[in-house]
Amino acid sequence: MSSRLRRLSVGRAFIADNRFEAVSLSRVAAQSSMSPSHFLRLFSDVYGETPNEFLIRLRVEQAKAMLVTESASVSDICERVGYTSLGSFSSLFSKRVGMAPTAYRRRLWAMSAEHFRFPVQAIPACYAFHFLGKAPN
Amino acid sequence: MITGIAHVTVYVLNQDEALDFYQNKMGFEVGMDVTVEGGFRWLTVRVPSAPALELVLAEPKEGPMFSKDAAEKIRGLIEDGAFGVGVFETQDCQKTYDELVAKGVEFMQPPTEQFYGIEAMGTDNSGNWFSLTQQTS
């Protein structure tokens, strides 16, 4: 790994480690010893997404797990994954997942036979069949 | 037309230990880590700069596809090094090798010139072998 890519990965890891906090691009770029514009350009080139898109993806993935495995309210989960506005969170979630957080929770809970567990339909059917003996619907 | 590969199974002896290895030593990131109904832990990891392919870290356990005897045989084969993960790519085999060795990753072959590039061979902490390859450009 080149020195530049190693420094970039430090900044990316910083985003991941602080994904539930409000962290500015300049602070992240400083972790990589780069200017914000250089960090932004290189990050997008290497990882195929902007730092902000990466952050949103991490937060939404965490929110998806929490929505299914916990009983906390959507607004509580919204705050815990780093958003202060429920509207912004719902909008970002819907854009990524294709449905609102409440609808996502309702749908996966309805599919699962066990409380607070992901339904078997959430994983590829070949794995469900292989490890759980669940035939595809 | 098939356009890609999304998931590949790697049988490991212990998912927690395998996760620690791939995340903290190899530099992979978690794709999904959820328990689905039936108790199966769906655990995937991926290379941050190549997230399209995820390794499914799965333990061979008695279940629909494996008898107790078969699961034990597979665990024995893993420990014996009968299985391989595949080839991990790097831009600098020697540097990455040095970094991984410093983190405690075990290699059976140091970086060696091959006609297709420079390659080292190592094992994960279950015993699955892998190649670390710097392809000839």
Side-chain angles (χ1 to χ4, degrees), chain A residues 1 8-9 12-13 16 43 46-49 54 57, chain B residues 22-23 26-31 45-53:
Chain A
M1 187 186 287
L8 183 70
S9 70
R12 190 176 189 274
F43 192 102
V46 171
Y47 297 116
E49 61 186 348
F54 173 55
R57 181 163 61 79
Chain B
Y22 282 99
Q23 189 173 34
M26 300 296 280
F28 286 44
E29 66 183 14
V30 175
V45 293
R46 60 198 177 202
V47 175
S49 58
L53 174 62

Short mmCIF file of all heavy atoms in Angstrom, two decimals, chain A residues 1 8-9 12-13 16 43 46-49 54 57, chain B residues 22-23 26-31 45-53:
data_model
loop_
_atom_site.label_atom_id
_atom_site.label_comp_id
_atom_site.label_asym_id
_atom_site.label_seq_id
_atom_site.Cartn_x
_atom_site.Cartn_y
_atom_site.Cartn_z
N MET A 1 0.85 -1.19 0.00
CA MET A 1 0.00 0.00 0.00
C MET A 1 0.89 1.25 0.00
O MET A 1 1.81 1.35 0.79
CB MET A 1 -0.90 -0.02 1.25
CG MET A 1 -1.94 1.09 1.26
SD MET A 1 -2.88 1.16 2.81
CE MET A 1 -3.91 -0.28 2.64
N LEU A 8 -4.84 7.79 3.52
CA LEU A 8 -6.27 7.87 3.20
C LEU A 8 -7.07 6.89 4.07
O LEU A 8 -8.14 7.23 4.59
CB LEU A 8 -6.48 7.54 1.72
CG LEU A 8 -7.92 7.65 1.22
CD1 LEU A 8 -8.37 9.11 1.16
CD2 LEU A 8 -8.06 7.00 -0.17
N SER A 9 -6.52 5.70 4.24
CA SER A 9 -7.24 4.69 5.02
C SER A 9 -7.35 5.09 6.50
O SER A 9 -8.30 4.71 7.18
CB SER A 9 -6.57 3.32 4.88
OG SER A 9 -5.32 3.30 5.55
N ARG A 12 -10.32 7.32 6.58
CA ARG A 12 -11.55 6.52 6.43
C ARG A 12 -11.87 5.79 7.74
O ARG A 12 -13.03 5.73 8.16
CB ARG A 12 -11.36 5.50 5.30
CG ARG A 12 -12.64 4.78 4.90
CD ARG A 12 -12.36 3.87 3.71
NE ARG A 12 -13.57 3.31 3.15
CZ ARG A 12 -14.15 2.21 3.59
NH1 ARG A 12 -13.65 1.56 4.61
NH2 ARG A 12 -15.26 1.76 3.02
N ALA A 13 -10.84 5.26 8.37
CA ALA A 13 -11.06 4.57 9.65
C ALA A 13 -11.55 5.56 10.71
O ALA A 13 -12.37 5.22 11.57
CB ALA A 13 -9.77 3.90 10.11
N ALA A 16 -15.18 5.97 10.26
CA ALA A 16 -15.89 4.79 10.77
C ALA A 16 -15.92 4.77 12.30
O ALA A 16 -16.95 4.47 12.91
CB ALA A 16 -15.23 3.52 10.23
N PHE A 43 -10.46 10.09 -1.95
CA PHE A 43 -11.39 9.16 -1.31
C PHE A 43 -12.41 8.65 -2.35
O PHE A 43 -12.66 7.44 -2.45
CB PHE A 43 -12.11 9.87 -0.16
CG PHE A 43 -12.89 8.94 0.76
CD1 PHE A 43 -12.36 8.59 2.00
CD2 PHE A 43 -14.13 8.43 0.40
CE1 PHE A 43 -13.08 7.74 2.86
CE2 PHE A 43 -14.83 7.59 1.24
CZ PHE A 43 -14.31 7.25 2.47
N VAL A 46 -10.74 6.30 -4.91
CA VAL A 46 -10.33 4.98 -4.39
C VAL A 46 -11.52 4.13 -3.96
O VAL A 46 -11.60 2.94 -4.27
CB VAL A 46 -9.34 5.15 -3.22
CG1 VAL A 46 -9.07 3.80 -2.54
CG2 VAL A 46 -8.03 5.75 -3.72
N TYR A 47 -12.46 4.76 -3.26
CA TYR A 47 -13.55 3.98 -2.66
C TYR A 47 -14.87 4.05 -3.44
O TYR A 47 -15.83 3.36 -3.09
CB TYR A 47 -13.78 4.42 -1.22
CG TYR A 47 -12.58 4.16 -0.32
CD1 TYR A 47 -11.88 5.20 0.28
CD2 TYR A 47 -12.13 2.86 -0.10
CE1 TYR A 47 -10.78 4.97 1.09
CE2 TYR A 47 -11.02 2.62 0.71
CZ TYR A 47 -10.36 3.67 1.30
OH TYR A 47 -9.26 3.43 2.10
N GLY A 48 -14.94 4.89 -4.45
CA GLY A 48 -16.14 4.93 -5.27
C GLY A 48 -17.33 5.60 -4.60
O GLY A 48 -18.47 5.43 -5.06
N GLU A 49 -17.11 6.31 -3.54
CA GLU A 49 -18.16 7.06 -2.86
C GLU A 49 -17.49 8.20 -2.11
O GLU A 49 -16.30 8.13 -1.78
CB GLU A 49 -18.95 6.18 -1.89
CG GLU A 49 -18.12 5.55 -0.79
CD GLU A 49 -18.89 4.55 0.08
OE1 GLU A 49 -20.11 4.47 0.00
OE2 GLU A 49 -18.21 3.83 0.84
N PHE A 54 -20.12 7.55 2.42
CA PHE A 54 -19.62 6.46 3.27
C PHE A 54 -20.22 6.57 4.67
O PHE A 54 -20.71 5.58 5.24
CB PHE A 54 -18.09 6.52 3.31
CG PHE A 54 -17.45 5.57 4.28
CD1 PHE A 54 -17.70 4.20 4.22
CD2 PHE A 54 -16.58 6.03 5.26
CE1 PHE A 54 -17.09 3.32 5.11
CE2 PHE A 54 -15.97 5.16 6.15
CZ PHE A 54 -16.24 3.80 6.09
N ARG A 57 -23.86 5.64 4.65
CA ARG A 57 -24.02 4.18 4.50
C ARG A 57 -23.81 3.47 5.84
O ARG A 57 -24.59 2.59 6.22
CB ARG A 57 -23.04 3.66 3.44
CG ARG A 57 -23.14 2.17 3.19
CD ARG A 57 -22.48 1.78 1.88
NE ARG A 57 -21.05 2.07 1.83
CZ ARG A 57 -20.12 1.30 2.41
NH1 ARG A 57 -20.47 0.23 3.09
NH2 ARG A 57 -18.84 1.61 2.29
N TYR B 22 -9.81 -10.88 10.47
CA TYR B 22 -10.02 -10.18 9.20
C TYR B 22 -10.18 -8.68 9.39
O TYR B 22 -9.77 -7.89 8.53
CB TYR B 22 -11.22 -10.78 8.45
CG TYR B 22 -10.85 -12.08 7.76
CD1 TYR B 22 -11.15 -13.31 8.33
CD2 TYR B 22 -10.14 -12.08 6.56
CE1 TYR B 22 -10.78 -14.50 7.73
CE2 TYR B 22 -9.77 -13.26 5.94
CZ TYR B 22 -10.09 -14.46 6.53
OH TYR B 22 -9.71 -15.64 5.92
N GLN B 23 -10.76 -8.27 10.50
CA GLN B 23 -10.98 -6.85 10.73
C GLN B 23 -9.73 -6.16 11.27
O GLN B 23 -9.30 -5.13 10.75
CB GLN B 23 -12.14 -6.67 11.71
CG GLN B 23 -12.61 -5.24 11.86
CD GLN B 23 -13.87 -5.14 12.72
OE1 GLN B 23 -14.06 -5.91 13.67
NE2 GLN B 23 -14.73 -4.21 12.39
N MET B 26 -6.18 -8.02 9.01
CA MET B 26 -6.16 -7.92 7.55
C MET B 26 -6.71 -6.59 7.03
O MET B 26 -6.56 -6.26 5.87
CB MET B 26 -6.96 -9.07 6.95
CG MET B 26 -6.42 -10.45 7.30
SD MET B 26 -4.77 -10.74 6.63
CE MET B 26 -5.16 -11.17 4.93
N GLY B 27 -7.40 -5.84 7.89
CA GLY B 27 -7.91 -4.53 7.47
C GLY B 27 -9.23 -4.57 6.74
O GLY B 27 -9.60 -3.60 6.07
N PHE B 28 -9.95 -5.69 6.86
CA PHE B 28 -11.27 -5.76 6.25
C PHE B 28 -12.26 -4.99 7.13
O PHE B 28 -11.96 -4.63 8.26
CB PHE B 28 -11.74 -7.23 6.16
CG PHE B 28 -11.05 -8.03 5.08
CD1 PHE B 28 -9.68 -7.97 4.88
CD2 PHE B 28 -11.78 -8.87 4.27
CE1 PHE B 28 -9.05 -8.72 3.90
CE2 PHE B 28 -11.16 -9.64 3.28
CZ PHE B 28 -9.81 -9.56 3.10
N GLU B 29 -13.47 -4.75 6.59
CA GLU B 29 -14.52 -4.14 7.37
C GLU B 29 -15.74 -5.07 7.39
O GLU B 29 -15.89 -5.92 6.51
CB GLU B 29 -14.91 -2.78 6.81
CG GLU B 29 -15.54 -2.84 5.44
CD GLU B 29 -15.86 -1.46 4.88
OE1 GLU B 29 -15.36 -0.46 5.41
OE2 GLU B 29 -16.62 -1.40 3.89
N VAL B 30 -16.56 -4.89 8.38
CA VAL B 30 -17.76 -5.72 8.51
C VAL B 30 -18.80 -5.29 7.47
O VAL B 30 -19.06 -4.11 7.30
CB VAL B 30 -18.37 -5.61 9.92
CG1 VAL B 30 -19.69 -6.37 10.00
CG2 VAL B 30 -17.39 -6.14 10.95
N GLY B 31 -19.34 -6.26 6.78
CA GLY B 31 -20.45 -5.98 5.87
C GLY B 31 -21.75 -6.10 6.63
O GLY B 31 -22.47 -5.12 6.81
N VAL B 45 -17.53 -9.97 5.78
CA VAL B 45 -16.49 -8.94 5.78
C VAL B 45 -16.09 -8.65 4.34
O VAL B 45 -16.33 -9.46 3.45
CB VAL B 45 -15.24 -9.38 6.59
CG1 VAL B 45 -15.56 -9.51 8.06
CG2 VAL B 45 -14.66 -10.69 6.04
N ARG B 46 -15.49 -7.49 4.14
CA ARG B 46 -15.11 -7.10 2.78
C ARG B 46 -13.91 -6.17 2.82
O ARG B 46 -13.63 -5.54 3.84
CB ARG B 46 -16.29 -6.40 2.10
CG ARG B 46 -16.73 -5.15 2.83
CD ARG B 46 -18.14 -4.73 2.44
NE ARG B 46 -18.55 -3.57 3.21
CZ ARG B 46 -19.81 -3.22 3.43
NH1 ARG B 46 -20.79 -3.92 2.90
NH2 ARG B 46 -20.09 -2.16 4.13
N VAL B 47 -13.26 -6.07 1.69
CA VAL B 47 -12.14 -5.14 1.55
C VAL B 47 -12.74 -3.74 1.34
O VAL B 47 -13.59 -3.58 0.47
CB VAL B 47 -11.25 -5.54 0.35
CG1 VAL B 47 -10.15 -4.50 0.13
CG2 VAL B 47 -10.66 -6.92 0.57
N PRO B 48 -12.34 -2.74 2.13
CA PRO B 48 -12.96 -1.42 2.02
C PRO B 48 -12.97 -0.83 0.61
O PRO B 48 -13.95 -0.22 0.20
CB PRO B 48 -12.11 -0.56 2.96
CG PRO B 48 -11.63 -1.52 3.99
CD PRO B 48 -11.37 -2.80 3.24
N SER B 49 -11.91 -1.04 -0.15
CA SER B 49 -11.86 -0.46 -1.49
C SER B 49 -12.50 -1.36 -2.54
O SER B 49 -12.54 -0.99 -3.72
CB SER B 49 -10.40 -0.17 -1.87
OG SER B 49 -9.64 -1.36 -1.81
N ALA B 50 -12.99 -2.52 -2.14
CA ALA B 50 -13.65 -3.43 -3.08
C ALA B 50 -14.85 -4.08 -2.40
O ALA B 50 -14.87 -5.29 -2.16
CB ALA B 50 -12.66 -4.48 -3.58
N PRO B 51 -15.85 -3.27 -2.06
CA PRO B 51 -16.95 -3.77 -1.23
C PRO B 51 -17.95 -4.68 -1.95
O PRO B 51 -18.84 -5.24 -1.31
CB PRO B 51 -17.64 -2.48 -0.77
CG PRO B 51 -17.36 -1.50 -1.86
CD PRO B 51 -16.00 -1.84 -2.38
N ALA B 52 -17.81 -4.84 -3.25
CA ALA B 52 -18.80 -5.64 -3.99
C ALA B 52 -18.74 -7.12 -3.63
O ALA B 52 -19.74 -7.83 -3.74
CB ALA B 52 -18.59 -5.46 -5.49
N LEU B 53 -17.58 -7.59 -3.21
CA LEU B 53 -17.43 -9.01 -2.85
C LEU B 53 -17.29 -9.13 -1.33
O LEU B 53 -16.40 -8.53 -0.73
CB LEU B 53 -16.21 -9.62 -3.53
CG LEU B 53 -15.88 -11.06 -3.12
CD1 LEU B 53 -17.03 -12.00 -3.48
CD2 LEU B 53 -14.59 -11.53 -3.78
#
